[in-house]
Amino acid sequence: MREAMATLARLQARSKAVGQQYYFRNSVVDVFRKKENDAAVKIQNWFRGCRVRAYIRHLHRAAIIVQKWWRSYLSRQHYQLVVKIQRRWRGYKIRKYCFDYFYLKEYLRAVTETNDAIRDALEEFAEMKEREEKKAALEREEKKRDYQARKMHYLLSTKQIPGIYNSPFRKDPDPWELRLQKAKPLTHQRPRVKQKHSISLTSWLACTSNRSFPRSEILPPINRKQCQGPFRDIAEVLEQRYKPLEPTLREAEPINELKEAREDLRRQEWIRNVNDNMFLPFSSYHKNEKYVPSMHSSSKYGPNSYGCQRFRDENPKKWICPKDFQTVLPSFDLFSKYGKLYSKAGQIV
Protein backbone atom coordinates (compact mmCIF):
# COMPACT_ATOMS: atom_id res chain seq x y z
CA MET A 1 0.00 0.00 0.00
CA ARG A 2 2.80 2.33 0.80
CA GLU A 3 4.56 1.51 -2.48
CA ALA A 4 1.43 2.32 -4.49
CA MET A 5 1.01 5.61 -2.70
CA ALA A 6 4.67 6.42 -3.35
CA THR A 7 4.30 5.65 -7.05
CA LEU A 8 1.18 7.84 -7.27
CA ALA A 9 3.02 10.66 -5.53
CA ARG A 10 5.88 10.39 -8.01
CA LEU A 11 3.52 10.44 -10.96
CA GLN A 12 1.70 13.49 -9.66
CA ALA A 13 5.02 15.23 -9.22
CA ARG A 14 5.99 14.37 -12.82
CA SER A 15 2.55 15.12 -14.35
CA LYS A 16 3.42 18.70 -15.23
CA ALA A 17 6.67 17.66 -16.99
CA VAL A 18 4.89 14.82 -18.82
CA GLY A 19 2.22 17.21 -20.10
CA GLN A 20 4.80 19.69 -21.32
CA GLN A 21 6.71 16.92 -23.05
CA TYR A 22 3.47 15.60 -24.64
CA TYR A 23 2.56 19.02 -26.05
CA PHE A 24 6.13 19.53 -27.28
CA ARG A 25 6.21 16.21 -29.08
CA ASN A 26 2.78 16.84 -30.66
CA SER A 27 3.96 20.20 -32.05
CA VAL A 28 7.10 18.63 -33.48
CA VAL A 29 5.08 15.81 -35.06
CA ASP A 30 2.70 18.35 -36.67
CA VAL A 31 5.65 20.04 -38.40
CA PHE A 32 7.01 16.77 -39.82
CA ARG A 33 3.50 15.48 -40.71
CA LYS A 34 3.06 18.24 -43.33
CA LYS A 35 6.39 17.42 -44.98
CA GLU A 36 5.54 13.72 -45.05
CA ASN A 37 2.10 14.48 -46.51
CA ASP A 38 3.66 16.61 -49.29
CA ALA A 39 6.21 13.88 -50.02
CA ALA A 40 3.46 11.25 -50.14
CA VAL A 41 1.43 13.43 -52.53
CA LYS A 42 4.45 13.80 -54.85
CA ILE A 43 5.07 10.06 -54.82
CA GLN A 44 1.42 9.39 -55.62
CA ASN A 45 1.46 11.95 -58.45
CA TRP A 46 4.58 10.40 -60.00
CA PHE A 47 3.21 6.88 -59.73
CA ARG A 48 -0.20 7.81 -61.14
CA GLY A 49 1.52 9.74 -63.97
CA CYS A 50 3.66 6.72 -64.83
CA ARG A 51 0.62 4.49 -64.80
CA VAL A 52 -1.42 6.88 -67.00
CA ARG A 53 1.47 7.30 -69.47
CA ALA A 54 1.94 3.55 -69.65
CA TYR A 55 -1.77 3.14 -70.34
CA ILE A 56 -1.66 5.84 -73.02
CA ARG A 57 1.31 4.11 -74.67
CA HIS A 58 -0.64 0.87 -74.61
CA LEU A 59 -3.64 2.57 -76.24
CA HIS A 60 -1.34 4.18 -78.82
CA ARG A 61 0.18 0.81 -79.76
CA ALA A 62 -3.26 -0.76 -79.93
CA ALA A 63 -4.49 2.09 -82.18
CA ILE A 64 -1.44 1.68 -84.45
CA ILE A 65 -2.09 -2.06 -84.75
CA VAL A 66 -5.78 -1.46 -85.54
CA GLN A 67 -4.90 1.19 -88.14
CA LYS A 68 -2.27 -1.04 -89.68
CA TRP A 69 -4.63 -3.98 -90.06
CA TRP A 70 -7.44 -1.77 -91.34
CA ARG A 71 -5.22 -0.05 -93.91
CA SER A 72 -3.77 -3.37 -95.02
CA TYR A 73 -7.32 -4.70 -95.42
CA LEU A 74 -8.29 -1.70 -97.54
CA SER A 75 -5.11 -2.04 -99.63
CA ARG A 76 -5.75 -5.74 -100.19
CA GLN A 77 -9.32 -5.02 -101.22
CA HIS A 78 -8.15 -2.35 -103.68
CA TYR A 79 -5.39 -4.60 -105.00
CA GLN A 80 -7.80 -7.49 -105.48
CA LEU A 81 -10.16 -5.19 -107.36
CA VAL A 82 -7.36 -3.97 -109.63
CA VAL A 83 -6.10 -7.51 -110.17
CA LYS A 84 -9.60 -8.69 -110.96
CA ILE A 85 -10.02 -5.95 -113.57
CA GLN A 86 -6.64 -6.78 -115.10
CA ARG A 87 -7.44 -10.49 -115.10
CA ARG A 88 -10.76 -9.93 -116.84
CA TRP A 89 -9.21 -7.62 -119.45
CA ARG A 90 -6.22 -9.88 -120.13
CA GLY A 91 -8.44 -12.93 -120.40
CA TYR A 92 -10.70 -11.13 -122.86
CA LYS A 93 -7.70 -9.92 -124.88
CA ILE A 94 -6.10 -13.39 -124.99
CA ARG A 95 -9.35 -15.09 -125.97
CA LYS A 96 -10.17 -12.51 -128.63
CA TYR A 97 -6.80 -11.80 -130.25
CA CYS A 98 -4.36 -14.59 -129.33
CA PHE A 99 -6.34 -17.82 -128.96
CA ASP A 100 -9.38 -17.13 -131.12
CA TYR A 101 -10.31 -20.49 -132.66
CA PHE A 102 -12.15 -19.13 -135.70
CA TYR A 103 -9.46 -16.53 -136.37
CA LEU A 104 -6.72 -19.16 -136.14
CA LYS A 105 -8.72 -21.51 -138.35
CA GLU A 106 -9.16 -18.83 -141.00
CA TYR A 107 -5.49 -17.89 -140.72
CA LEU A 108 -4.34 -21.50 -141.14
CA ARG A 109 -6.66 -21.94 -144.12
CA ALA A 110 -5.23 -18.82 -145.77
CA VAL A 111 -1.67 -19.98 -145.03
CA THR A 112 -2.45 -23.40 -146.53
CA GLU A 113 -3.88 -21.85 -149.70
CA THR A 114 -0.92 -19.51 -150.01
CA ASN A 115 1.51 -22.39 -149.54
CA ASP A 116 -0.28 -24.48 -152.19
CA ALA A 117 -0.19 -21.58 -154.64
CA ILE A 118 3.49 -20.94 -153.94
CA ARG A 119 4.30 -24.64 -154.33
CA ASP A 120 2.46 -24.79 -157.67
CA ALA A 121 4.28 -21.68 -158.85
CA LEU A 122 7.65 -23.09 -157.72
CA GLU A 123 6.96 -26.41 -159.46
CA GLU A 124 6.03 -24.59 -162.67
CA PHE A 125 9.14 -22.43 -162.36
CA ALA A 126 11.32 -25.49 -161.75
CA GLU A 127 9.81 -27.24 -164.81
CA MET A 128 10.33 -24.13 -166.93
CA LYS A 129 13.94 -23.84 -165.74
CA GLU A 130 14.51 -27.52 -166.48
CA ARG A 131 13.09 -27.10 -170.00
CA GLU A 132 15.24 -24.02 -170.55
CA GLU A 133 18.35 -25.84 -169.33
CA LYS A 134 17.61 -28.77 -171.62
CA LYS A 135 17.00 -26.40 -174.50
CA ALA A 136 20.24 -24.52 -173.77
CA ALA A 137 22.14 -27.83 -173.53
CA LEU A 138 20.70 -28.93 -176.87
CA GLU A 139 21.62 -25.57 -178.42
CA ARG A 140 25.16 -25.83 -177.07
CA GLU A 141 25.44 -29.37 -178.38
CA GLU A 142 24.07 -28.24 -181.75
CA LYS A 143 26.54 -25.37 -181.92
CA LYS A 144 29.33 -27.71 -180.98
CA ARG A 145 28.33 -30.09 -183.77
CA ASP A 146 28.03 -27.24 -186.27
CA TYR A 147 31.51 -26.03 -185.35
CA GLN A 148 32.83 -29.57 -185.65
CA ALA A 149 31.14 -29.87 -189.07
CA ARG A 150 32.75 -26.61 -190.21
CA LYS A 151 36.12 -27.91 -189.10
CA MET A 152 35.55 -31.25 -190.92
CA HIS A 153 34.08 -29.70 -194.05
CA TYR A 154 36.94 -31.12 -196.10
CA LEU A 155 35.46 -34.58 -195.53
CA LEU A 156 32.41 -33.68 -197.64
CA SER A 157 31.67 -35.97 -200.60
CA THR A 158 32.29 -34.78 -204.15
CA LYS A 159 31.07 -35.98 -207.54
CA GLN A 160 34.23 -37.89 -208.17
CA ILE A 161 35.14 -39.18 -204.67
CA PRO A 162 32.61 -40.11 -201.97
CA GLY A 163 33.39 -39.01 -198.41
CA ILE A 164 33.87 -41.17 -195.35
CA TYR A 165 30.31 -40.48 -194.20
CA ASN A 166 28.85 -41.48 -197.64
CA SER A 167 30.00 -45.05 -197.98
CA PRO A 168 28.71 -46.97 -201.01
CA PHE A 169 28.14 -49.97 -198.79
CA ARG A 170 25.37 -48.19 -196.84
CA LYS A 171 21.82 -47.78 -197.94
CA ASP A 172 21.48 -44.23 -196.59
CA PRO A 173 24.22 -41.68 -195.98
CA ASP A 174 25.31 -40.83 -192.45
CA PRO A 175 23.58 -37.80 -190.78
CA TRP A 176 26.97 -36.12 -190.58
CA GLU A 177 27.01 -36.06 -194.39
CA LEU A 178 23.89 -33.91 -194.41
CA ARG A 179 25.34 -31.68 -191.70
CA LEU A 180 28.55 -31.23 -193.69
CA GLN A 181 26.51 -30.24 -196.72
CA LYS A 182 24.71 -27.50 -194.74
CA ALA A 183 27.80 -26.22 -192.93
CA LYS A 184 30.18 -23.60 -194.26
CA PRO A 185 33.90 -24.21 -194.24
CA LEU A 186 35.83 -22.67 -191.36
CA THR A 187 38.22 -19.99 -192.55
CA HIS A 188 41.23 -19.00 -190.53
CA GLN A 189 41.64 -15.29 -190.00
CA ARG A 190 45.04 -13.81 -190.52
CA PRO A 191 46.52 -11.93 -187.59
CA ARG A 192 46.52 -8.20 -188.02
CA VAL A 193 49.86 -6.48 -188.00
CA LYS A 194 49.89 -3.25 -185.99
CA GLN A 195 51.46 -0.33 -187.80
CA LYS A 196 53.82 1.78 -185.82
CA HIS A 197 52.97 5.47 -186.03
CA SER A 198 56.05 7.64 -185.99
CA ILE A 199 55.37 11.12 -184.72
CA SER A 200 57.82 13.70 -185.86
CA LEU A 201 58.47 17.11 -184.41
CA THR A 202 57.12 18.85 -187.52
CA SER A 203 53.78 17.03 -187.38
CA TRP A 204 53.48 17.83 -183.69
CA LEU A 205 54.18 21.53 -184.29
CA ALA A 206 51.82 21.61 -187.28
CA CYS A 207 49.07 20.11 -185.12
CA THR A 208 48.49 17.31 -187.61
CA SER A 209 49.14 14.50 -185.12
CA ASN A 210 46.48 12.88 -182.94
CA ARG A 211 48.63 13.49 -179.89
CA SER A 212 48.95 17.20 -180.45
CA PHE A 213 45.76 17.84 -178.51
CA PRO A 214 44.35 15.20 -176.17
CA ARG A 215 40.89 14.16 -177.30
CA SER A 216 38.35 11.99 -175.59
CA GLU A 217 37.93 8.67 -177.32
CA ILE A 218 34.51 8.07 -178.85
CA LEU A 219 32.80 5.11 -177.28
CA PRO A 220 31.62 2.43 -179.71
CA PRO A 221 27.87 1.96 -180.16
CA ILE A 222 26.23 -0.73 -178.09
CA ASN A 223 24.31 -3.36 -179.99
CA ARG A 224 21.07 -4.59 -178.53
CA LYS A 225 22.06 -8.16 -179.24
CA GLN A 226 23.91 -9.92 -176.45
CA CYS A 227 27.49 -10.75 -177.44
CA GLN A 228 28.88 -14.20 -176.84
CA GLY A 229 31.61 -14.48 -174.28
CA PRO A 230 32.35 -13.15 -170.79
CA PHE A 231 30.76 -9.76 -171.37
CA ARG A 232 28.55 -7.77 -169.05
CA ASP A 233 24.86 -7.30 -169.60
CA ILE A 234 23.76 -4.57 -172.04
CA ALA A 235 21.47 -2.95 -169.47
CA GLU A 236 24.35 -2.64 -166.97
CA VAL A 237 26.62 -1.09 -169.63
CA LEU A 238 23.93 1.40 -170.67
CA GLU A 239 23.26 2.32 -167.04
CA GLN A 240 26.96 3.00 -166.50
CA ARG A 241 27.30 5.03 -169.72
CA TYR A 242 24.22 7.19 -169.30
CA LYS A 243 24.20 7.52 -165.53
CA PRO A 244 23.09 10.96 -164.22
CA LEU A 245 25.51 13.56 -163.02
CA GLU A 246 26.47 13.42 -159.35
CA PRO A 247 26.05 16.85 -157.76
CA THR A 248 28.60 18.24 -155.35
CA LEU A 249 28.11 18.22 -151.59
CA ARG A 250 27.13 21.88 -151.61
CA GLU A 251 24.43 21.27 -154.21
CA ALA A 252 23.26 17.96 -152.78
CA GLU A 253 22.77 19.21 -149.21
CA PRO A 254 20.25 22.04 -148.67
CA ILE A 255 21.24 25.30 -147.03
CA ASN A 256 18.67 24.96 -144.24
CA GLU A 257 19.71 21.42 -143.32
CA LEU A 258 20.43 22.43 -139.70
CA LYS A 259 16.99 23.99 -139.35
CA GLU A 260 15.29 20.91 -140.79
CA ALA A 261 17.28 18.65 -138.44
CA ARG A 262 16.16 20.75 -135.46
CA GLU A 263 12.54 20.57 -136.61
CA ASP A 264 12.84 16.79 -136.99
CA LEU A 265 14.34 16.50 -133.48
CA ARG A 266 11.54 18.68 -132.07
CA ARG A 267 8.89 16.47 -133.73
CA GLN A 268 10.49 13.32 -132.30
CA GLU A 269 10.57 14.85 -128.81
CA TRP A 270 6.92 15.87 -129.15
CA ILE A 271 6.02 12.27 -130.03
CA ARG A 272 7.81 10.93 -126.92
CA ASN A 273 6.34 13.52 -124.51
CA VAL A 274 3.52 12.41 -122.27
CA ASN A 275 2.40 15.93 -121.30
CA ASP A 276 2.20 18.61 -123.98
CA ASN A 277 2.02 21.52 -121.53
CA MET A 278 5.18 23.59 -121.61
CA PHE A 279 6.88 24.16 -118.26
CA LEU A 280 7.65 27.84 -117.64
CA PRO A 281 9.44 28.14 -114.27
CA PHE A 282 9.97 31.92 -114.22
CA SER A 283 6.47 33.03 -115.17
CA SER A 284 2.98 33.12 -113.73
CA TYR A 285 1.53 30.95 -116.49
CA HIS A 286 0.62 28.08 -114.15
CA LYS A 287 -0.49 30.27 -111.25
CA ASN A 288 -4.25 30.00 -111.84
CA GLU A 289 -4.24 26.31 -112.75
CA LYS A 290 -5.80 23.92 -110.25
CA TYR A 291 -3.42 21.41 -108.75
CA VAL A 292 -4.45 17.82 -109.41
CA PRO A 293 -2.95 15.59 -106.69
CA SER A 294 -1.72 12.13 -107.50
CA MET A 295 -3.42 8.93 -106.33
CA HIS A 296 -1.02 8.12 -103.48
CA SER A 297 -1.08 11.70 -102.13
CA SER A 298 -4.87 12.14 -102.30
CA SER A 299 -5.71 9.40 -99.77
CA LYS A 300 -7.76 10.29 -96.71
CA TYR A 301 -5.06 8.77 -94.52
CA GLY A 302 -2.49 11.31 -95.63
CA PRO A 303 0.32 11.25 -98.21
CA ASN A 304 2.97 8.61 -98.24
CA SER A 305 6.22 9.69 -96.60
CA TYR A 306 8.52 7.59 -98.79
CA GLY A 307 10.96 9.75 -100.71
CA CYS A 308 10.05 13.03 -98.96
CA GLN A 309 10.67 12.26 -95.28
CA ARG A 310 13.52 10.54 -93.51
CA PHE A 311 12.95 7.63 -91.17
CA ARG A 312 14.96 9.24 -88.34
CA ASP A 313 13.25 12.64 -88.41
CA GLU A 314 11.90 13.76 -85.04
CA ASN A 315 8.37 14.98 -84.57
CA PRO A 316 8.02 16.76 -81.18
CA LYS A 317 4.21 16.75 -81.48
CA LYS A 318 4.12 12.98 -81.12
CA TRP A 319 6.34 12.83 -78.04
CA ILE A 320 4.70 11.36 -74.94
CA CYS A 321 6.91 13.25 -72.49
CA PRO A 322 9.43 16.06 -72.96
CA LYS A 323 12.25 14.01 -71.46
CA ASP A 324 14.49 11.72 -73.46
CA PHE A 325 14.58 7.99 -72.89
CA GLN A 326 17.02 6.93 -70.22
CA THR A 327 19.57 4.46 -71.57
CA VAL A 328 20.08 1.28 -69.59
CA LEU A 329 23.51 0.36 -71.03
CA PRO A 330 26.43 2.77 -71.36
CA SER A 331 27.42 3.99 -74.84
CA PHE A 332 30.41 2.62 -76.76
CA ASP A 333 33.59 4.67 -76.63
CA LEU A 334 34.32 3.90 -80.28
CA PHE A 335 31.05 5.49 -81.41
CA SER A 336 31.55 8.55 -79.23
CA LYS A 337 34.88 9.23 -81.02
CA TYR A 338 33.31 9.09 -84.50
CA GLY A 339 34.09 12.25 -86.50
CA LYS A 340 36.90 13.30 -84.12
CA LEU A 341 39.73 11.03 -85.29
CA TYR A 342 41.83 10.90 -88.47
CA SER A 343 42.75 7.87 -90.52
CA LYS A 344 46.10 7.10 -92.11
CA ALA A 345 45.00 8.81 -95.34
CA GLY A 346 44.30 12.05 -93.48
CA GLN A 347 40.52 11.82 -93.75
CA ILE A 348 38.17 12.28 -90.80
CA VAL A 349 36.82 8.96 -89.59
Side-chain angles (χ1 to χ4, degrees):
M1 189 65 180
R2 291 180 180 178
E3 292 179 359
M5 292 298 291
T7 303
L8 180 62
R10 286 196 301 271
L11 289 175
Q12 288 179 357
R14 294 175 55 189
S15 62
K16 187 182 288 186
V18 171
Q20 291 178 359
Q21 189 176 5
Y22 174 75
Y23 287 116
F24 174 75
R25 290 185 178 182
N26 285 335
S27 60
V28 173
V29 168
D30 290 337
V31 174
F32 285 101
R33 186 182 291 117
K34 186 176 182 182
K35 291 182 179 180
E36 292 177 356
N37 188 19
D38 295 339
V41 169
K42 286 184 179 181
I43 293 171
Q44 289 178 357
N45 289 337
W46 175 81
F47 178 74
R48 291 173 181 175
C50 292
R51 187 172 62 181
V52 169
R53 285 192 293 271
Y55 182 68
I56 291 173
R57 284 197 296 269
H58 173 69
L59 293 179
H60 183 67
R61 294 194 190 96
I64 290 174
I65 293 172
V66 172
Q67 289 179 356
K68 180 175 67 176
W69 282 99
W70 175 247
R71 290 175 183 176
S72 63
Y73 172 74
L74 292 179
S75 300
R76 286 194 297 271
Q77 291 293 327
H78 179 70
Y79 180 75
Q80 290 177 2
L81 179 61
V82 172
V83 169
K84 186 181 293 184
I85 294 173
Q86 290 181 352
R87 185 170 64 240
R88 292 290 179 83
W89 165 247
R90 289 174 181 174
Y92 170 75
K93 183 178 179 181
I94 290 295
R95 288 191 300 272
K96 183 171 180 62
Y97 298 103
C98 297
F99 298 105
D100 190 0
Y101 172 75
F102 298 100
Y103 175 75
L104 291 176
K105 185 178 180 180
E106 187 67 21
Y107 172 74
L108 292 175
R109 187 184 63 79
V111 169
T112 305
E113 293 178 357
T114 306
N115 291 339
D116 295 340
I118 291 174
R119 285 184 176 180
D120 295 340
L122 289 175
E123 290 177 358
E124 292 179 0
F125 181 75
E127 292 177 358
M128 182 182 67
K129 279 291 183 181
E130 187 177 358
R131 288 195 301 268
E132 289 180 357
E133 289 178 359
K134 289 182 179 180
K135 184 178 179 181
L138 291 175
E139 289 179 356
R140 286 194 298 269
E141 190 68 24
E142 192 68 23
K143 287 181 180 180
K144 193 184 215 182
R145 291 178 181 178
D146 291 342
Y147 180 74
Q148 191 72 17
R150 292 182 66 187
K151 287 178 67 177
M152 298 187 305
H153 192 270
Y154 61 91
L155 300 177
L156 182 63
S157 300
T158 60
K159 293 182 180 180
Q160 289 82 9
I161 303 173
I164 59 174
Y165 294 108
N166 191 9
S167 176
F169 301 101
R170 300 181 61 176
K171 295 181 180 180
D172 298 326
D174 195 85
W176 274 97
E177 182 69 23
L178 300 177
R179 189 179 291 275
L180 292 174
Q181 293 177 5
K182 296 179 182 179
K184 294 181 180 180
L186 184 63
T187 58
H188 298 281
Q189 297 181 358
R190 296 180 180 179
R192 296 181 181 181
V193 180
K194 295 184 179 179
Q195 298 179 358
K196 296 183 179 180
H197 299 281
S198 61
I199 301 173
S200 61
L201 182 61
T202 57
S203 62
W204 185 77
L205 294 175
C207 299
T208 58
S209 175
N210 293 330
R211 298 188 179 182
S212 299
F213 296 99
R215 299 179 181 178
S216 60
E217 297 181 359
I218 300 175
L219 297 175
I222 300 176
N223 297 326
R224 298 296 178 180
K225 186 178 179 181
Q226 181 69 27
C227 299
Q228 293 183 357
F231 301 106
R232 291 188 297 175
D233 192 11
I234 299 175
E236 185 180 355
V237 177
L238 290 174
E239 182 180 0
Q240 182 178 3
R241 179 175 291 185
Y242 300 108
K243 65 181 179 180
L245 297 176
E246 296 181 359
T248 60
L249 182 62
R250 183 175 181 181
E251 295 178 356
E253 300 294 335
I255 300 176
N256 57 346
E257 182 183 7
L258 181 60
K259 186 177 180 180
E260 292 180 357
R262 288 176 179 173
E263 291 293 335
D264 190 11
L265 181 61
R266 192 178 292 109
R267 285 194 296 270
Q268 293 178 2
E269 289 180 353
W270 179 80
I271 292 172
R272 291 194 300 267
N273 289 339
V274 179
N275 190 359
D276 295 336
N277 298 330
M278 186 180 295
F279 178 69
L280 302 174
F282 300 102
S283 64
S284 59
Y285 180 76
H286 305 283
K287 184 181 294 183
N288 297 327
E289 291 186 0
K290 185 178 179 181
Y291 173 73
V292 181
S294 58
M295 184 181 294
H296 72 278
S297 62
S298 60
S299 176
K300 60 181 179 180
Y301 300 106
N304 197 351
S305 61
Y306 293 109
C308 60
Q309 186 178 2
R310 299 173 183 251
F311 291 98
R312 296 188 178 181
D313 289 348
E314 296 181 356
N315 188 5
K317 296 181 179 179
K318 294 184 178 180
W319 290 355
I320 299 175
C321 62
K323 295 182 181 180
D324 296 335
F325 290 98
Q326 185 177 0
T327 57
V328 179
L329 300 175
S331 60
F332 293 92
D333 295 337
L334 180 62
F335 294 160
S336 62
K337 296 179 181 179
Y338 182 77
K340 300 178 182 180
L341 300 178
Y342 292 88
S343 63
K344 294 181 181 180
Q347 301 294 333
I348 297 176
V349 179

